[in-house]
Amino acid sequence: MATVVERERKYSADEGFRLPDLTGCGGVATMSDATAFDLDAVYVDTPDLRLARSGFALRRRTGGHDAGWHLKVGAAGGARTEYQFPAGADDLDPPAELVGLFRAASRGQAVEPAARITTHRVERRLLDAAGRVLAEVAEDTVDGRDLVTGERQAWREIEVELVDGDDRLLDAVQSRLREAGARPVPVSKSHRALAGRLAAVTDAAPTDPVAHYALTQRDVLIANHPGARHGDEDAVHDMRVAVRRLRATLRTFRGRWDRPRSAALRAELRWLGGQLGAVRDAQVMAARLTDAVRAEPADLVLGPVAARISERFAADLATALDELVRTLDSDRYTELLAGLDRLLEAPPARAVDARWVARRVRRAVTRADDRLDRALDGQRTQEGDVALHEARKAYKAARYAVEVREPGAGQPAAALVERLKDLQDLLGTQHDSVVTREVLRRQALRAYAAGENTFTYGLLHARQATAADRDLRAIPAARDRARRRKVRRWLKS
């Protein structure tokens, strides 16, 4: 399997359009001669087009230099990740490894041919003065057919895809193309071919901000599924945060949905978050301790400290990632996603107006304030560390609740989100130091049992304790900044 990040922009053009000279755009010195070839792609999807609705495009294409199975993830017009698999003449079904990558988007359903797109492509390369390929520009004559309804469309399209160029090149080329009459296109070829059926199965955007926020987090979860399955750090992090936001939203605004179903889904999301957390925690702790060892002078690193840390967390990460893959391949996981669809896309269990939402947001913020105040009273005890961690979780929930109102409230809400995030980050680094000290203590015990020097583990433990004390001293000031009247008075509106 090959994985590439595709950065391209698309434009529509009428019959009279002529590709302009693009030299001078973002370092382009010359344009290559044109190369023409024909492409034939069959796009597959679930009967209700769940892949397309989730920003996924799955096709089997012949012709061109990258024939085979392709899975694209992301919105057209931006950076998209593309997974490429070779295909034999008789490979009519996507390979199992590819199925695992779109399983969240399909909700585990089988896929079938949805559209066929044939393209006559005329391609040119944009080169810099040294002959380096900055981008490829394709003039496409496209014929698209919905294989279910038979609806057919034909159009012309221009694609500009970066190779070694940057966004400045894309901007310059876009300006030149628009002057020549091309118009940006916000959707992919497959979306255009399936536009009629997509319009019929796509639900109208929710009118209340709570449902909109929850649906957005569901979509973030699904979009990061392929990367998380491969252990990509950003994808695991983003998927885990989406799970947290969903859990917090279902709890903070629990009257918005059927309560028993909402509670059951919160429990399932907690299970999924635990699987993601095991991977992410191993990644973060490995990086944290590796950086800590590197920061010490060489004469203070006694024994194979870096090697032992690497060995420990490589094993932990491999075990956690294996378990995460099993989770993401399980029926329980797809049932969770289907349950989210049913809950979030259903009519509200009660009327939701702005006053009800505002009241729930205020409660979440007040709850976090109370927990922090109680925690700070006993901050220098083990129980105090636990209480501070609970306050951190409460502030996460409060911040997510404020984010629900942010689109409507604007800058005042954004300001409070930033203050809460600053406070949450301080509480987070303090908690991380607690966890790191316990990891270091256990590593020191292992080293002692193996007859190795434990000095460096003790030194690192002391460094973490010092950092924790510094964070504790900074928390009251961050709390006061987050409680200033000018950043909170809008909450009463």
Side-chain angles (χ1 to χ4, degrees), residues 249-323:
T249 302
L250 292 177
R251 184 181 186 278
T252 300
F253 304 98
R254 53 189 174 273
R256 163 65 174 73
W257 295 281
D258 176 85
R259 283 179 181 260
R261 291 169 59 199
S262 175
L265 278 169
R266 289 207 313 271
E268 288 299 275
L269 286 166
R270 183 176 184 178
W271 161 73
L272 176 59
Q275 307 305 309
L276 291 161
V279 174
R280 187 61 185 147
D281 290 346
Q283 292 170 336
V284 171
M285 189 59 68
R288 182 182 179 91
L289 288 178
T290 298
D291 289 345
V293 173
R294 287 175 178 167
E296 295 296 334
D299 60 339
L300 295 183
V301 181
L302 306 183
V305 180
R308 295 292 179 260
I309 289 172
S310 177
E311 291 166 3
R312 154 79 187 279
F313 287 103
D316 287 355
L317 180 57
T319 299
L321 188 54
D322 285 346
E323 183 59 34

Side-chain angles (χ1 to χ4, degrees), residues 7 9 25-27 162 165-175:
R7 295 179 295 161
R9 295 183 188 175
C25 293
L162 289 180
D166 55 24
D167 286 342
R168 290 176 299 174
L169 169 62
L170 287 178
D171 291 341
V173 169
Q174 176 166 291
S175 179

Side-chain angles (χ1 to χ4, degrees), residues 134 148 170 179 187 306:
L134 301 179
V148 174
L170 287 178
E179 288 174 1
V187 297

Side-chain angles (χ1 to χ4, degrees), residues 391-418:
R392 176 199 183 194
K393 292 192 291 185
Y395 272 115
K396 282 185 180 180
R399 176 182 146 212
Y400 301 154
V402 174
E403 287 175 351
V404 168
R405 291 197 63 191
E406 189 173 347
Q411 181 55 37
L416 180 55
V417 166
E418 285 302 310

